Amino acid sequence: MYKELLGIPKEHVFVRTDMKWDIGKKIDIDTFWFDEKDATDHIVARYIVKVTKFVYPPKKSLISFNKYTPDSLSLLASGELQH
């Protein structure tokens, strides 16, 4: 799902490397870490995707992302994903 939303090429592999759940009374936040690998299995970018779920009506969710260089030192892009 996130691979398509982020516009990652089909020939690249999108691998989840870690995840964390923060459960609150009004908001749940799921955080996922991903590596984007090219056809030669080299990491070309790293991502952090956060899914914020609102427990009470209107029970919506927001998805945001940060894209980093392979060494995770520089932010390349960030924003909200439309789902």
Side-chain angles (χ1 to χ4, degrees):
M1 171 182 162
Y2 301 122
K3 181 177 178 177
E4 292 81 19
L5 289 174
L6 290 163
I8 294 172
K10 290 186 180 198
E11 62 273 5
H12 286 196
V13 178
F14 198 54
V15 181
R16 188 176 71 205
T17 59
D18 202 358
M19 61 193 305
K20 179 177 108 175
W21 292 287
D22 291 317
I23 300 172
K25 290 186 177 186
K26 295 181 181 181
I27 298 174
D28 294 342
I29 300 174
D30 300 337
T31 306
F32 303 95
W33 286 262
F34 293 96
D35 287 347
E36 177 186 350
K37 295 182 178 184
D38 64 13
T40 61
D41 206 36
H42 289 95
I43 296 173
V44 295
R46 294 181 187 245
Y47 293 81
I48 298 175
V49 176
K50 287 191 178 188
V51 180
T52 304
K53 300 174 192 170
F54 298 90
V55 177
Y56 295 106
K59 290 192 174 186
K60 64 179 180 174
S61 63
L62 301 173
I63 303 173
S64 62
F65 77 96
N66 288 330
K67 178 180 179 180
Y68 295 92
T69 54
D71 60 10
S72 301
L73 295 177
S74 298
L75 181 65
L76 298 173
S78 64
E80 300 286 329
L81 298 176
Q82 302 298 319
H83 58 285

